[in-house]
Amino acid sequence: MPHVNSHLVKKLNTFVQLSERELGCLAELQSSSLRVKRGMDLVYEGQTGHMAYILQAGWACSFKLLPDGGRQIIAFPVPGDCIGLRSVLLRTSDHSFSALTDVVVSGVEASRMISIFDEFPRLGTAILWAASRDEAMIVEHLVSIGRRTAIERTAYFFLELYERLRLVGLATDKEFDCPFNQYVLADALGLSAIHVNRVLRRLRELKLMTLKKGKVIIYDAAALKRLSGFQDEQITP
Amino acid sequence: MPHVNSHLVKKLNTFVQLSERELGCLAELQSSSLRVKRGMDLVYEGQTGHMAYILQAGWACSFKLLPDGGRQIIAFPVPGDCIGLRSVLLRTSDHSFSALTDVVVSGVEASRMISIFDEFPRLGTAILWAASRDEAMIVEHLVSIGRRTAIERTAYFFLELYERLRLVGLATDKEFDCPFNQYVLADALGLSAIHVNRVLRRLRELKLMTLKKGKVIIYDAAALKRLSGFQDEQITP
DNA sequence: CGACGCTTTGACACAACTCAACAACCGTGG
DNA sequence: CCACGGTTGTTGAGTTGTGTCAAAGCGTCG
């Protein structure tokens, strides 16, 4: 992959115009590449190895496990997103990351990550901006689970994913790949897998969207937005 | 208030030993003080005034409103916590802050906030560390709402508050102030106010804890932890 | 072909919500 | 001082959304 055009560069460039030197730094950060097989954990809760990763390709999720064996998925990073940034400062990871498909990541030493804030303050700010966006998405997820019904929350979830993927050019007009099974969706949406199935059937019957064989097709984005209370946000860089 | 001993200083000092100059900077940040009446909004969603606040005294909450009038409370900052830090970078606030009691805050210009990362990198890192902790709490809140029952989640909520307040010296052995009514708790826990009432009754009947007249009394912390799956975290600075 | 992972469906149980009413507790003003 | 309205807390009855259990259908892959 030509890393000067990586997803990460594309993302950060929307925040500040990056200089040659800053681009060089990003290229260096992404110089290593590590393959992770589907189902493997990149980071596990409580781990203290001081490493962050940049997702280059594939699908992953961050989650926490409960004592009773339950799982809550926090977020699904897309290519260009940072994984485990928070644990760089907390020193011990507070949640786990797992690869949902085969995945390619670039590892970044925690110390290197911190030194960037000294060496390339503008780049550091851009990274913080991206982290702030990620946090805002987690907050929105919290709102969904706390105050939206199963169908609203599901519709909202897919709309958000749709927007995110379009921004990095991974969704066409009405369609995108989404290799999540209903158990994964359930753990993300705070529902049971069986109820996810019922909700998806409902959305299909209403002719709003379908999820089939790892592909989402949006039939009626406007109606989905009405249903879920989704509003296009003004992303002001 | 002697700001060299502010809650903020106490908190950040647990992460790095602060120098004289850094303490001076924190004192400067907290030099202004603004009173906000109970029920007033400090920040509202969509606002673009580039200001962050440091909570000095009183209780507040951050929340998002839904189109249907519902509300989801994200977090309850305690004295020493930053308010609206994220909106400094996103430029437009993605959620609102409201004062639950009369409140005292110190305002910090966004530009000043950003300049700290240049001038006092260690202090900047400490602030990021605190922000990471806040984010970890939001994640835990998400897990609670997504995967814990009403009573587990309520127990967890009060245990976490208990720990946080003890860290800044605002809780005695078994007791602490908590001026939340059941509507506020409901919006935080993703429940209806009536159900909160029933859950609190249950916790009272089980002789685990009570909430009465703005005061929480913990009768059996161990049993609460067992019930909610709460585990004392190793906060490794 | 069988085994496995995933989806789909139905019947039933239960957690949490809604509505409605009432009780307790304020602070305020007559 | 008491009467008052407003806010908050409490309780019951009935409804609904979502979870649980069980079983069958489908594809894919070895």
Side-chain angles (χ1 to χ4, degrees), chain A residues 64 66 71-72 74 86 89-90 94 118 121 125 128 132 135-136 140 145-148 186-187 190-191 236, chain B residues 64 66 71-72 86 89-90 92 94 118 121 125 128 132 135-136 140 145-148 186-187 190-191 236:
Chain A
K64 291 199 76 156
L66 290 120
R71 176 173 75 152
Q72 177 64 50
I74 314 300
R86 200 158 66 242
L89 286 165
L90 295 182
D94 63 322
D118 283 340
T125 311
L128 286 184
S132 298
E135 192 180 337
E140 197 57 50
I145 294 185
R147 282 288 178 238
R148 286 190 246 259
D187 285 341
L191 299 169
T236 327
Chain B
K64 290 199 76 154
L66 289 118
R71 177 174 73 152
Q72 176 64 48
R86 201 158 67 243
L89 285 165
L90 294 182
T92 155
D94 62 321
D118 283 341
T125 310
L128 286 184
S132 298
E135 192 180 337
E140 198 56 50
I145 293 185
R147 282 287 179 241
R148 286 191 245 258
D187 285 342
L191 299 169
T236 326

Side-chain angles (χ1 to χ4, degrees), chain B:
Chain B
M1 189 184 303
H3 283 120
V4 281
N5 281 319
S6 68
H7 296 285
L8 178 59
V9 167
K10 189 189 284 187
K11 185 170 70 167
L12 296 185
N13 244 328
T14 67
F15 179 61
V16 279
Q17 187 66 29
L18 296 168
S19 70
E20 277 305 318
R21 286 188 62 240
E22 289 162 340
L23 287 171
C25 172
L26 286 178
E28 173 222 317
L29 288 183
Q30 299 180 91
S31 58
S32 77
S33 87
L34 177 65
R35 265 151 226 287
V36 180
K37 278 259 161 245
R38 165 191 152 115
M40 292 290 110
D41 286 358
L42 273 106
V43 183
Y44 54 88
E45 200 175 331
Q47 185 178 348
T48 51
H50 307 341
M51 197 86 175
Y53 299 92
I54 299 164
L55 183 61
Q56 301 296 353
W59 289 89
C61 67
S62 60
F63 61 94
K64 290 199 76 154
L65 294 174
L66 289 118
D68 68 2
R71 177 174 73 152
Q72 176 64 48
I73 293 180
I74 314 298
F76 296 97
V78 302
D81 285 351
C82 283
I83 284 178
L85 200 51
R86 201 158 67 243
S87 59
V88 163
L89 285 165
L90 294 182
R91 298 299 257 276
T92 155
S93 178
D94 62 321
H95 58 308
S96 311
F97 279 89
S98 185
L100 293 172
T101 63
D102 290 356
V103 145
V104 181
V105 296
S106 305
V108 180
E109 282 294 333
S111 52
R112 180 75 190 105
M113 204 76 225
I114 290 174
S115 69
I116 287 175
F117 288 88
D118 283 341
E119 274 182 65
F120 303 94
R122 261 165 43 101
L123 193 51
T125 310
I127 290 170
L128 286 184
W129 169 78
S132 298
R133 278 191 52 206
D134 292 347
E135 192 180 337
M137 283 191 347
I138 292 175
V139 165
E140 198 56 50
H141 192 179
L142 172 66
V143 171
S144 253
I145 293 185
R147 282 287 179 241
R148 286 191 245 258
T149 64
I151 195 168
E152 290 167 1
R153 163 183 345 166
T154 307
Y156 194 99
F157 174 82
F158 282 109
L159 281 173
E160 188 189 84
L161 197 55
Y162 182 42
E163 295 292 337
R164 285 173 73 201
L165 291 175
R166 277 209 304 193
L167 275 179
V168 291
L170 289 176
T172 70
D173 188 24
K174 304 253 152 221
E175 231 176 290
F176 56 92
D177 285 330
C178 172
F180 306 159
N181 68 33
Q182 298 181 349
Y183 295 90
V184 168
L185 287 172
D187 285 342
L189 297 170
L191 299 169
S192 68
I194 292 169
H195 203 63
V196 166
N197 182 288
R198 287 193 267 255
V199 168
L200 289 176
R201 191 212 312 184
R202 197 81 223 293
L203 289 170
R204 203 187 314 134
E205 286 167 358
L206 291 170
K207 299 201 194 311
L208 300 182
M209 57 159 287
T210 60
L211 166 59
K212 203 169 171 182
K213 286 162 140 313
K215 210 168 206 73
V216 171
I217 306 178
I218 306 283
Y219 292 125
D220 192 340
L224 276 175
K225 288 182 186 179
R226 243 176 290 123
L227 169 65
S228 63
F230 184 95
Q231 34 204 353
D232 304 271
E233 353 216 332
Q234 53 294 14
I235 297 170
T236 326

Side-chain angles (χ1 to χ4, degrees), chain A:
Chain A
M1 190 184 304
H3 283 119
V4 281
N5 281 318
S6 69
H7 295 286
L8 177 59
V9 168
K10 188 188 285 188
K11 185 170 70 168
L12 297 184
N13 244 327
T14 67
F15 179 62
V16 279
Q17 187 68 27
L18 297 168
S19 71
E20 278 304 318
R21 284 188 61 241
E22 289 160 342
L23 287 171
C25 173
L26 286 179
E28 173 222 316
L29 289 183
Q30 299 179 92
S31 57
S32 77
S33 87
L34 177 65
R35 264 149 227 289
V36 180
K37 278 260 161 246
R38 165 193 153 113
M40 293 290 109
D41 286 358
L42 274 106
V43 183
Y44 53 89
E45 200 174 333
Q47 186 179 347
T48 50
H50 308 339
M51 198 85 175
Y53 298 92
I54 299 164
L55 182 61
Q56 300 296 354
W59 289 89
C61 68
S62 60
F63 62 94
K64 291 199 76 156
L65 294 175
L66 290 120
D68 68 2
R71 176 173 75 152
Q72 177 64 50
I73 292 180
I74 314 300
F76 296 98
V78 301
D81 286 351
C82 283
I83 284 178
L85 200 53
R86 200 158 66 242
S87 59
V88 163
L89 286 165
L90 295 182
R91 299 300 258 276
T92 157
S93 178
D94 63 322
H95 57 310
S96 311
F97 279 90
S98 184
L100 294 172
T101 64
D102 291 356
V103 145
V104 181
V105 296
S106 305
V108 180
E109 282 295 332
S111 52
R112 180 73 189 106
M113 203 77 223
I114 290 173
S115 69
I116 287 176
F117 289 88
D118 283 340
E119 275 181 64
F120 302 94
R122 261 166 41 101
L123 194 50
T125 311
I127 289 169
L128 286 184
W129 168 78
S132 298
R133 279 191 52 205
D134 292 347
E135 192 180 337
M137 286 195 342
I138 293 176
V139 165
E140 197 57 50
H141 192 179
L142 173 65
V143 172
S144 254
I145 294 185
R147 282 288 178 238
R148 286 190 246 259
T149 65
I151 194 168
E152 289 167 0
R153 173 187 328 173
T154 306
Y156 195 100
F157 174 82
F158 282 108
L159 282 171
E160 187 189 85
L161 197 56
Y162 182 41
E163 294 291 338
R164 284 173 73 201
L165 291 176
R166 277 210 303 195
L167 275 178
V168 290
L170 290 176
T172 70
D173 188 23
K174 302 255 153 217
E175 230 176 291
F176 56 92
D177 285 330
C178 173
F180 305 159
N181 68 35
Q182 298 181 353
Y183 294 89
V184 169
L185 287 172
D187 285 341
L189 296 169
L191 299 169
S192 67
I194 290 169
H195 203 64
V196 166
N197 184 286
R198 288 193 273 248
V199 169
L200 289 177
R201 191 209 314 183
R202 197 82 223 291
L203 290 170
R204 203 186 315 136
E205 286 167 357
L206 292 170
K207 299 203 193 310
L208 300 182
M209 58 160 286
T210 60
L211 166 59
K212 203 169 170 183
K213 284 164 136 316
K215 210 169 207 74
V216 172
I217 305 177
I218 306 283
Y219 291 125
D220 192 341
L224 277 174
K225 288 181 186 177
R226 244 175 290 123
L227 169 64
S228 64
F230 185 95
Q231 34 205 355
D232 304 271
E233 353 216 334
Q234 55 294 17
I235 298 169
T236 327

